Amino acid sequence: QGNVLSIHRKKLVLIGISTVLLIVLLSFGKQLENSKFGYSEYLIALTAFFLCGWSVLVNAAKTIYRRQWFDENVLMSIASTGALIIHAHEEAIGVMIFYQIGELLQNLAVNRSRSSIKKLLEIRPDYANVKTSSGTKKVTPQEVKIGDTIVVKAGEKIPLDSIVIEGRSQIDTAVLTGESVPKTVGKSDKVLAGEINLTGILILRVQKLFSESSVLKILDLVENASEKKTKTENFVTTFARYYTPIVVALSISIAVLPPLFLSGQTFTTWIYRALVLLVISCPCALIISIPLGYFGGIGGASRRGILIKGSNFIDALANVRSVVFDKTGTLTKGSFKVIEVVTVNGHTERDVLTFAALAESHSNHPIARSIVREFTGRYEPLDESAISEHQEISGHGVTAFVNGHTVICGNDSLMKREGISHSDCSSNHTIVYLAINKKFAGYIIIGDEIKEDAQRAISNLHRMGITDITMLTGDNKKTASIVGEKLSIKNVFAELLPEHKVEQFEKLSEKKFHKGTIAFVGDGINDSPVIARADVGIAMGALGSDAAIETADVVLMTDHPSKVAEAIGIGRKTRSIVIQNIVMALGIKLVFVILGSIGLASMWEAVFADMGVAILAVLNATRALNYKANQAGF
């Protein structure tokens, strides 16, 4: 930061001296030229020119040395040097001064955008207090190992992904999630590197190395997001590569052909017009502002808890016309709770819960965890040594060998597949059936709640003109249809295995009635295949999930489905800013190219127009950093 300020100060001093010398020339140039000190006019002009233009000339020489031949520095060097040669000293100096002022203002605008991104990088923890036998020791986060105990005092950053083993406190998650309300954590709660402890002392057990922490992955994503360029950015790069030589060739034609073929025309007049064309044709407004617009969009999104992995996904989000949601953990809380245990054939509730909990104990599915949680909450810790065999059947349930008994635990499809006769439950909730030794023993009714802002998420998408919304779920049809009805989602596909979700998504892609993109929103753990297949894969509530961060194109760091509409809104705003800059830059330049070619625009006007367009485009691009929900109509 200090070096940048020092460079800016030096530039300002040189611009100031050149401006003073330019004023002297404008005021006394004619007198000096006609006096016996005529050479002093050239001395003042050259001094002013080289003071403010030396860096441009050096950069132009470097461009030519690298055999890239043409960029804005080369164009400015040719135009200003040509103006000196034809005795347009004031214009030559003016071109350099205003070009440097424009560059300075552009750099300040770019630095403002970059400093906004750097604020995100400040979440990187500096140290960790590791608990040892002799007290606590301050070390770098990279030195801490999995299983180490660390102490985080009030006001300190949490250095590594950990679990709370002692203490209770409020933590600020805003730097990661964009949520302004502090979160209260206590024993057994997970905390992530970069979050800030606000009130009490927390004793934590480290669960991940710093190199594997969520915060490092997030920082890496944001820092490298600009590498994945959009078609627009690639087009502008290619455009500039061909556009600049064409402009130079056109300028040479304007300088040479009219004096040769039109009577009464002088080379001086047409060379001046050619130089004006070179100045106004400089493509820096496009080259700087368009990548900056995408960069601003990515930075603004990250501040709101939305990680976009590259500027190409900004365009994909802007073009979303269909959204497909997973149900469990995405539109519903995924925090299942046992509502009722129904027994048959002489079994007790404890029997059914015991066998079901043991059979499900090795599964990570939310339904399985809810059954285990219900058993341990009612009775005692599970004795997992009773399990000798266990097999998880994706999308159906599990089979296990428990205390010498064959246990089958799962949905209606699994019972039918195993040929087990069972009573049919017509509940609106999720049903888990249990069979012991091939005989039906009962079923467990498990409930899930719709998330508080799920309805708002769907309404916001509708307001944005996205009405093609679908829900995919492995749950039973009755439960799925009730959730769909409550959320005003007409297209609902239920009882899908993970592989069937991909097949159904393929069908939806083939049948789409528009040329836009399709987004899939899932919880990032079980939905990775569909997230990877989608035009825009969005993992929601996935902070800390390695699978989500690696598979998804967009990672929402909270579990609020309303963030989906926000991400699309950011994509649309960023895209519109980029289009505005392209139209503005090319439109104004075209007007002044015509005016300059026919002699109605001087070099002064050309440089004002060129720098003015560049500065306006850069300032417009920085608007992408700031996004408000009401800009999307909600």
Side-chain angles (χ1 to χ4, degrees):
Q1 189 71 22
N3 288 338
V4 171
L5 288 172
S6 175
I7 292 168
H8 285 169
R9 284 196 202 99
K10 185 179 176 183
K11 232 176 205 184
L12 279 170
V13 169
L14 294 176
I15 290 170
I17 296 170
S18 296
T19 303
V20 170
L21 294 174
L22 176 60
I23 292 169
V24 170
L25 276 180
L26 289 170
S27 304
F28 307 108
K30 290 294 180 187
Q31 292 93 315
L32 288 172
E33 186 181 352
N34 297 325
S35 71
K36 60 180 180 178
F37 301 106
Y39 65 87
S40 60
E41 181 207 358
Y42 289 94
L43 183 62
I44 293 170
L46 289 173
T47 301
F49 179 77
F50 283 110
L51 278 176
C52 64
W54 180 252
S55 61
V56 178
L57 297 170
V58 169
N59 288 332
K62 287 178 180 177
T63 298
I64 294 169
Y65 179 75
R66 291 194 297 266
R67 297 189 179 183
Q68 293 173 352
W69 305 117
F70 299 111
D71 67 2
E72 62 270 23
N73 292 299
V74 174
L75 291 184
M76 283 296 160
S77 298
I78 294 172
S80 56
T81 306
L84 277 178
I85 292 169
I86 63 171
H87 206 265
H89 295 163
E90 291 86 354
E91 284 95 331
I93 299 164
V95 165
M96 282 301 187
I97 287 175
F98 288 110
Y99 179 74
Q100 292 284 24
I101 291 172
E103 287 285 295
L104 193 62
L105 292 173
Q106 286 174 33
N107 288 337
L108 289 171
V110 171
N111 287 338
R112 181 183 164 229
S113 297
R114 291 195 179 275
S115 66
S116 181
I117 300 298
K118 284 175 183 175
K119 284 181 184 175
L120 183 72
L121 305 187
E122 289 172 8
I123 66 178
R124 188 190 297 269
D126 301 316
Y127 63 89
N129 301 312
V130 178
K131 203 169 184 181
T132 65
S133 56
S134 58
T136 58
K137 181 184 178 184
K138 186 180 281 190
V139 299
T140 63
Q142 290 87 341
E143 295 177 67
V144 183
K145 299 173 184 175
I146 294 173
D148 281 355
T149 302
I150 57 175
V151 180
V152 182
K153 300 171 187 174
E156 291 184 330
K157 290 175 193 168
I158 294 167
L160 299 106
D161 294 2
S162 310
I163 189 166
V164 179
I165 57 174
E166 192 180 323
R168 188 172 180 82
S169 180
Q170 286 191 318
I171 59 171
D172 180 0
T173 66
V175 287
L176 296 179
T177 65
E179 295 292 315
S180 57
V181 180
K183 183 174 78 173
T184 301
V185 295
K187 190 174 181 180
S188 301
D189 287 331
K190 288 183 179 179
V191 292
L192 298 171
E195 295 175 339
I196 300 170
N197 184 21
L198 295 177
T199 52
I201 293 178
L202 291 175
I203 311 298
L204 311 175
R205 180 172 291 114
V206 177
Q207 290 191 308
K208 286 184 180 179
L209 295 173
F210 184 69
S211 59
E212 298 170 358
S213 64
S214 304
V215 67
L216 215 61
K217 289 182 180 179
I218 290 165
L219 295 176
D220 183 61
L221 281 179
V222 175
E223 287 176 317
N224 297 315
S226 59
E227 291 180 6
K228 296 178 180 177
K229 293 188 176 182
T230 63
K231 289 180 180 178
T232 307
E233 287 176 289
N234 289 328
F235 161 75
V236 168
T237 304
T238 306
F239 174 80
R241 192 181 303 140
Y242 293 102
Y243 163 85
T244 310
I246 289 171
V247 164
V248 172
L250 183 60
S251 298
I252 293 169
S253 301
I254 288 173
V256 174
L257 297 180
L260 290 177
F261 297 102
L262 297 175
S263 61
Q265 300 298 319
T266 64
F267 276 100
T268 303
T269 300
W270 286 97
I271 288 172
Y272 183 82
R273 291 181 183 182
L275 296 175
V276 170
L277 177 62
L278 282 179
V279 172
I280 192 58
S281 300
C282 181
C284 52
L286 288 174
I287 292 169
I288 294 171
S289 67
I290 290 172
L292 181 62
Y294 284 111
F295 187 73
I298 290 168
S302 66
R303 283 160 52 181
R304 302 182 68 86
I306 300 167
L307 289 180
I308 301 173
K309 286 191 175 180
S311 49
N312 53 330
F313 299 121
I314 290 265
D315 276 0
L317 280 169
N319 291 328
V320 167
R321 296 294 177 271
S322 299
V323 179
V324 180
F325 284 95
D326 170 54
K327 180 182 80 69
T328 305
T330 303
L331 293 172
T332 63
K333 291 182 178 179
S335 53
F336 292 98
K337 184 179 180 182
V338 173
I339 295 172
E340 187 180 355
V341 179
V342 179
T343 65
V344 296
N345 295 328
H347 289 283
T348 65
E349 281 194 16
R350 179 160 185 157
D351 288 340
V352 172
L353 270 177
T354 302
F355 281 104
L358 285 167
E360 298 279 17
S361 62
H362 290 168
S363 172
N364 285 320
H365 196 281
I367 291 176
R369 292 200 298 268
S370 72
I371 294 172
V372 173
R373 191 165 53 246
E374 181 70 16
F375 175 84
T376 55
R378 281 198 198 187
Y379 305 115
E380 60 197 28
L382 279 172
D383 179 16
E384 294 188 22
S385 63
I387 310 163
S388 54
E389 291 179 23
H390 178 274
Q391 182 186 3
E392 189 158 352
I393 303 164
S394 181
H396 289 289
V398 297
T399 62
F401 203 64
V402 179
N403 284 331
H405 299 282
T406 301
V407 179
I408 301 169
C409 185
N411 57 20
D412 177 66
S413 300
L414 181 60
M415 295 295 121
K416 288 176 179 175
R417 194 182 93 165
E418 297 294 329
I420 296 167
S421 177
H422 63 288
S423 56
D424 206 4
C425 177
S426 59
S427 171
N428 296 335
H429 299 291
T430 301
I431 311 300
V432 176
Y433 296 92
L434 181 77
I436 301 171
N437 296 325
K438 293 284 185 176
K439 286 188 68 176
F440 185 51
Y443 57 85
I444 302 169
I445 301 175
I446 297 172
D448 189 12
E449 293 179 71
I450 295 173
K451 289 181 179 177
E452 287 81 358
D453 75 334
Q455 181 64 65
R456 182 158 60 93
I458 304 303
S459 299
N460 289 347
L461 288 171
H462 284 160
R463 288 193 192 101
M464 297 174 79
I466 301 172
T467 55
D468 185 18
I469 300 173
T470 305
M471 185 177 77
L472 306 181
T473 179
D475 214 339
N476 65 70
K477 289 181 181 178
K478 191 162 188 178
T479 303
S481 63
I482 289 169
V483 173
E485 191 176 332
K486 285 182 179 178
L487 298 178
S488 304
I489 299 176
K490 294 178 181 177
N491 303 323
V492 176
F493 298 90
E495 298 180 2
L496 298 172
L497 299 177
E499 60 270 26
H500 293 158
K501 282 187 180 181
V502 178
E503 290 172 13
Q504 187 60 54
F505 188 86
E506 294 280 2
K507 290 176 184 175
L508 292 170
S509 298
E510 290 169 8
K511 291 179 182 177
K512 69 179 182 180
F513 55 87
H514 54 77
K515 293 183 179 179
T517 56
I518 300 183
F520 178 82
V521 189
D523 61 13
I525 300 169
N526 302 318
D527 300 311
S528 294
V530 202
I531 287 174
R533 164 60 187 85
D535 296 329
V536 188
I538 303 175
M540 195 186 66
L543 188 61
S545 166
D546 295 344
I549 290 176
E550 288 174 16
T551 307
D553 307 316
V554 179
V555 180
L556 308 182
M557 295 188 277
T558 67
D559 61 355
H560 299 154
S562 57
K563 287 280 186 183
V564 174
E566 202 171 312
I568 293 169
I570 289 170
R572 288 184 179 182
K573 180 185 177 183
T574 305
R575 176 74 174 159
S576 70
I577 287 170
V578 168
I579 291 171
Q580 288 165 16
N581 280 346
I582 292 172
V583 172
M584 177 173 64
L586 294 181
I588 293 174
K589 282 184 181 294
L590 179 61
V591 169
F592 274 85
V593 162
I594 294 169
L595 292 175
S597 300
I598 60 177
L600 294 179
S602 70
M603 196 170 288
W604 288 105
E605 290 161 333
V607 75
F608 271 118
D610 177 54
M611 286 297 103
V613 170
I615 292 164
L616 282 175
V618 169
L619 292 175
N620 190 39
T622 59
R623 291 195 305 116
L625 277 166
N626 304 308
Y627 173 82
K628 294 177 182 177
N630 58 17
Q631 291 172 325
F634 50 87

